């Protein structure tokens, strides 16, 4: 597979795949967003469109679920989140194919991360920046994507960090359809798990402990086929950590396991998205009051330096970590539930062989 | 340049291994380096990671962004398709994106075929997929035999399919690493089949023959020894005038062929050496002994152990007779012949002496000593004491493990070579009862804990289940829709007791199905229906609706929104079409839409298709457009009174949004009926219009204002004849209506 020139003229900060992996969007300090399309025949990426999205560096972007159309959210150091919708009637390559739907400018500081919630929670996104505030926005009327309402505003950090100090902020939603609305938020060296409780507010239900430096990346694994959740973090202290989050059963429940899950599944299926999920989901055996047990199941320092990014594959069976050593490591759980490095991708030029 | 094509003649078990120029793994990446333009299908391992021992691939063969050992802010994003992931450096002057494929992702057509075939084998096993030992009730003895026969047959089919797969890819460029991995996998599977999936096949008259053939096939396919070049060297005339058969090399070769059960090749070597001709002249006893040996080798008993006993007693008799006979030849040649006769007679020390590997002696023990797997552990021990495992060869230790019955330990090795073969092998081992489950009963009794019970990957479900589900998930990440039915099939068939775990997994996975055609959608919806997942089906309909909207196929999009229960969306798009039509003052150029609302029927689109397309929600929401459509028809036929009645129907429609009243007034009622003082409008109509204006008209409504201004700006209505704001427009309408009312009384 051949590398290609992104066309960006400054640092690339983020890339994001669309739901089916056929498009990829990138953003940069050059204030531009670019969308590339995968050519089926050649397997190569072609630039679909490029446009100036913000008035400062664009540091994060994400695609909404195709249930809501073709929408991208971007977050910038200009303190705004912008939402973009593709207009298929516009030609590619002219910079007009993506039209701005909305600008969300509540942040008091530079934004660092923006992520759409999984589709079953409705059209919703969360963002965090260096004002230390987590904000959640909902498009309460999905047929009108220009109208977004801030439904949660939580100070994760009591005081915003000093601007001259290095900082980092990340977030990742729990993608599981059969779990209460949750998201992992990292601010500086703290990682917290928020969950929507019966009062329809997000509350901290767990902490991912043990980080010895800025958390550079956090990624919540799809928990398909698994009863527990996995969250990975990449840290400045050089470690990739994998946390196992288990929602313990309510001992008072008389249900057998099978019927419990059926009930859980049915509960979810009766929900037509929206923010009232937690109300109905809490009727399952793992109510929002159930303790969320956190266990550090894996810790690796193979990168010999800062870990810059972690990400899970579609099914949550493979974790990637990329580090300062110029290597990408791919981790996979064994039958005995240990994560082992299955392969390494090196960004180094290979020394010519003698 | 070396290619896998050199392996073309697999029928010939004497593979020319030396000529293949076996390379160390590191250099395989260079095998096709001349061909830079060709897309690499398979991995190119450039190194081994010093920390984990994992294979190291390069981000880019020629354009890797970092110089050797330098550091960098490398970032990596795994994509939804395992063959498409992206790496980049967050660094100045590094603006390239690096698409990267996950290691061991095979996207070839041949692989899809192979996976399909293995799935068919597994699926067709039916109830034999599960291993059970009946302990209560009437124990059916034949049932367990039939079960063994079915599973053994499946194992045989699996090995055959892998053989076909290797055959199919061996000539492909850039498939060298993959080829060697699959060959290694095949060696392990052939050993597994021989040891665990052959001899217990009931009522099979050829079971011994199958076993012997599998055994011979396994060891000879594994390393391809002795190779042709070596054989040729043995037959090169000696410089000291000695004959070929007078050298130890010849007899070592001959015995090696016999150890490996290569009878025809051994007899061929004997003929080529002309030892028989020589002995015919020199020593009748030796000549007869060798002729008898050849005759016995040609009749090596495949049919039963009884005939083997008879055969072996003849060989031993021959060996002992020869040993006690006076011969005309002396020295080494006689010793060689004697050794060979004792080796074929199953003499332990002779077998071990002539074996250059542990598996040669292991094979020979089973061929010539006592052909019983009950002694396999003993044979293995003797063989390993004589020739230890070659640790540089991956399959040797794995085969030792599986001969010892350690099936668990071989599965990760297989998985590292090919996940597909490994998963189905694990499934067959499970079905055969080779994988014991170690479930801690104490743990099962713990206080209510749901952890692991309804988990597809729980150790309680066994390793085979774990591997099958993992493989199913892997297939879902390949982005190939042909692999999805197999993935869903595997999850469905996997031996997990809880169907809800499967249901939840399918619910999460299926929305990622890369549908393209209507048949794909039908399949996806049928799976959702089967698993009773209506909410996921609704999400699929919404996704589909949005995709169709993107393709400007509004009616079909609405049909899908309607099926998803998104009635607000159906309504919204109906009104959007209504608005667009009013704006252009004519029916929309949409054949499907107009066929739906056309009362007279439309010959272009058959009624049954329209009926299936239009949902009851659409019928309701499209009714304003239907009235509008009839209004255009009346207008075109100059039937002004009917057109006015229809327009009035729209104006009075209780669910008509306020803004559209303004639009209908400005676009139709005013210019057609009010502006022209001579156009007749009856009193009751005027009063009804006035009442509608009273109820709905809102000068301050933003949407009404916007729509009116847009109509003026875009010249949809005449700017000169209409006022610039809604208040004045309303006044003008009232004025005209009053005038018409007066006209009526006058």
């Amino acid at each position: 597979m051949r590398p290609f020139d992104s066309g960006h003229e400054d640092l690339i900060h983020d890339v994001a795949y669309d739901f089916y992996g056929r498009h990829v969007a990138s953003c940069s300090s050059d204030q531009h967003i670019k969308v590339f399309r995968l050519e089926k025949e050649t397997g190569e990426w072609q630039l679909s469109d490029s446009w100036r999205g913000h008035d400062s560096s664009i540091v994060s972007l994400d695609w909404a679920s195709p249930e809501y159309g073709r929408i991208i959210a971007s977050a910038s150091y200009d303190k705004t989140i912008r939402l973009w919708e593709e207009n298929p009637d516009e030609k590619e390559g002219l910079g007009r194919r993506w039209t701005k739907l909305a600008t969300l400018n509540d942040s008091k500081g530079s934004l660092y991360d923006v992520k759409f919630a999984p589709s079953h929670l409705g059209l919703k996104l969360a963002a965090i920046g260096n004002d230390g505030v987590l904000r959640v926005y909902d498009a309460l009327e999905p047929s009108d994507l220009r109208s977004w309402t801030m439904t949660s505003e939580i100070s994760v950090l009591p005081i915003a960090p000093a601007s001259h100090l290095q900082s980092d902020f990340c977030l990742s939603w729990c993608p599981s359809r059969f779990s209460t609305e949750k998201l992992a938020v990292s601010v500086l060296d703290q990682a917290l798990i928020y969950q929507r409780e019966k009062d329809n507010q997000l509350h901290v239900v767990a902490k991912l402990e043990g980080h010895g430096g800025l958390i550079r990346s956090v990624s919540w694994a799809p928990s398909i086929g698994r009863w527990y959740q996995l969250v990975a973090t990449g840290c400045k202290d050089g470690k990739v950590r994998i946390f196992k989050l288990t929602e313990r059963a309510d001992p008072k429940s008389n249900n057998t396991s099978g019927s419990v899950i059926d009930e859980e599944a049915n509960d979810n299926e009766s929900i037509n998205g929206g923010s009232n999920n937690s109300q109905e989901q809490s009727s399952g055996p793992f109510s929002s009051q159930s303790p969320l047990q956190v266990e550090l199941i894996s810790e690796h320092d193979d990168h010999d330096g800062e870990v810059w990014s972690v990400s899970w594959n579609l099914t949550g069976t493979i974790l990637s970590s990329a580090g300062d050593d110029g290597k990408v490591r791919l981790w996979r759980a064994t039958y005995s539930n240990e994560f082992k490095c299955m392969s390494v991708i090196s960004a180094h030029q290979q020394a010519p062989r003698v | 340049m070396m290619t896998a094509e050199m392996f073309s003649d697999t029928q010939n078990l004497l593979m020319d291994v030396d000529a293949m120029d076996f390379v160390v793994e590191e250099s395989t990446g260079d095998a096709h380096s001349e061909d830079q333009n060709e897309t690499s299908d398979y991995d190119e391992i450039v190194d081994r990671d010093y920390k984990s021992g994992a294979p190291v691939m390069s981000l880019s063969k020629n354009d890797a962004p970092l110089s050797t050992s330098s550091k960098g802010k490398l970032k990596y994003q795994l994509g939804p398709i395992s063959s498409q992931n992206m790496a980049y450096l967050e660094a100045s002057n590094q603006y390239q994106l690096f698409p990267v494929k996950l290691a061991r992702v095979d996207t070839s057509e041949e692989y899809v075929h192979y996976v399909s075939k293995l799935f068919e084998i597994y699926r067709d096993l039916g109830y034999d997929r599960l291993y059970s030992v009946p302990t209560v009730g009437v124990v059916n003895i034949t049932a367990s035999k039939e079960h063994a026969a079915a599973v053994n047959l499946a194992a045989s089919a699996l090995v055959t399919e892998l053989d076909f797969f290797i055959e199919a890819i061996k000539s492909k460029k850039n498939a060298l690493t993959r080829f060697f991995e699959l060959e290694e996998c095949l060696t392990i599977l052939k050993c597994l089949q021989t040891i665990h999936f052959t001899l217990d096949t009931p009522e099979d008259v050829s079971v011994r023959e199958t076993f012997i053939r599998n055994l011979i096939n396994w060891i000879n396919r594994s390393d391809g020894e002795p190779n042709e070049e070596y054989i040729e060297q043995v037959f090169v005339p000696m410089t000291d005038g000695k004959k070929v058969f007078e050298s130890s090399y010849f007899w070592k070769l001959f015995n090696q062929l016999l150890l490996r059960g290569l009878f025809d090749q051994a007899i061929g070597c004997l003929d080529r050496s002309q030892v028989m001709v020589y002995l015919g002249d020199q020593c009748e006893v030796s000549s007869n002994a060798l002729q008898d040996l050849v005759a016995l080798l040609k009749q090596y008993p495949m049919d039963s152990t009884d005939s083997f006993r008879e055969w072996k007693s003849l060989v031993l008799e021959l060996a002992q007779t020869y040993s006690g006979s006076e011969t005309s030849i002396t020295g080494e040649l006689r010793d060689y012949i004697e050794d060979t006769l004792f080796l074929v007679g199953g003499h332990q020390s002779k077998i071990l002496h002539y074996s250059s590997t542990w598996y040669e002696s292991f094979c020979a023990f089973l061929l010539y000593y006592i052909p019983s797997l009950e002694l396999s552990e003993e044979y293995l021990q003797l063989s390993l004491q004589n020739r230890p495992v070659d640790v540089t060869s991956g399959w040797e230790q794995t085969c030792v493990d599986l001969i010892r019955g350690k099936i668990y330990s071989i599965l990760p090795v297989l998985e590292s070579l090919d996940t597909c073969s490994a998963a189905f092998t694990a499934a067959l081992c499970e079905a055969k009862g080779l994988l014991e489950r170690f479930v801690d009963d104490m743990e099962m009794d713990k206080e209510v804990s749901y952890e692991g019970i309804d988990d597809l990957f729980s150790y309680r479900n066994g390793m085979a289940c774990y591997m099958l589900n993992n493989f199913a998930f892997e297939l879902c990440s390949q982005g190939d829709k042909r692999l999805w039915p197999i993935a869903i099939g595997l999850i469905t068939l996997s031996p997990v007791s809880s169907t809800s775990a499967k249901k939840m997994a399918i619910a999460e996975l299926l929305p990622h199905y890369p549908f393209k055609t209507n048949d794909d959608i039908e399949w996806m919806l049928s799976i959702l229906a089967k698993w009773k997942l209506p909410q996921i089906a609704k999400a699929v309909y919404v996704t589909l609706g949005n995709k169709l909207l993107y393709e400007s196929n509004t009616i079909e999009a609405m049909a899908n929104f309607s099926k998803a229960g998104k009635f607000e969306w159906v309504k919204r798009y109906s009104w959007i079409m209504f608005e667009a039509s009013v704006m252009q003052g004519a029916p929309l150029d949409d054949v499907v839409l107009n066929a739906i609302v056309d009362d007279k029927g439309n010959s272009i689109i058959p009624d049954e298709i329209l009926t299936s397309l239009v949902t009851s929600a659409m019928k309701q929401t499209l009714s304003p457009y239907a009235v509008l459509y009839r209004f255009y028809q009346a207008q075109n036929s100059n039937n002004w009174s009917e057109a006015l009645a229809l327009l009035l129907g729209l104006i009075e429609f209780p669910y008509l949004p306020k803004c559209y009243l303004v639009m209908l007034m400005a676009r139709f009622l005013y210019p057609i009926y009010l502006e022209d003082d001579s156009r007749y409008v009856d009193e009751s109509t005027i009063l009804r219009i006035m009442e509608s204006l009273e109820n709905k008209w809102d000068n301050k409504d933003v949407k009404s204002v916007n729509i009116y201004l847009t109509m003026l700006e875009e010249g949809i209505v005449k700017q000169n004849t209409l006022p610039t704001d809604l208040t004045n427009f309303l006044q003008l309408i009232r004025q005209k209506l009053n005038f018409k009312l007066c006209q009526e009384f006058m």
Side-chain angles (χ1 to χ4, degrees), chain B residues 391-436:
Chain B
V391 288
T392 60
S393 159
W395 65 266
E396 284 195 29
Q397 185 57 51
T398 313
C399 286
V400 167
D401 285 344
L402 71 84
I403 291 167
R404 285 179 169 154
K406 295 178 186 169
I407 307 296
Y408 272 112
S409 66
I410 73 154
L411 296 176
V413 179
L414 279 177
E415 199 171 31
S416 71
L417 298 169
D418 180 52
T419 47
C420 173
S421 308
F424 286 104
T425 302
L428 294 184
C429 289
E430 170 89 33
K432 195 70 193 285
L434 298 174
L435 297 174
E436 289 174 43

Side-chain angles (χ1 to χ4, degrees), chain A residues 6 67 244 261 269 304, chain B residues 30 50 95 451 454 535 546:
Chain A
S6 67
E67 277 185 55
K244 180 180 177 183
I261 295 168
E269 280 170 23
D304 286 336
Chain B
D30 272 352
Y50 76 98
Y95 308 135
E451 191 181 352
D454 275 327
Q535 282 308 117
N546 271 307

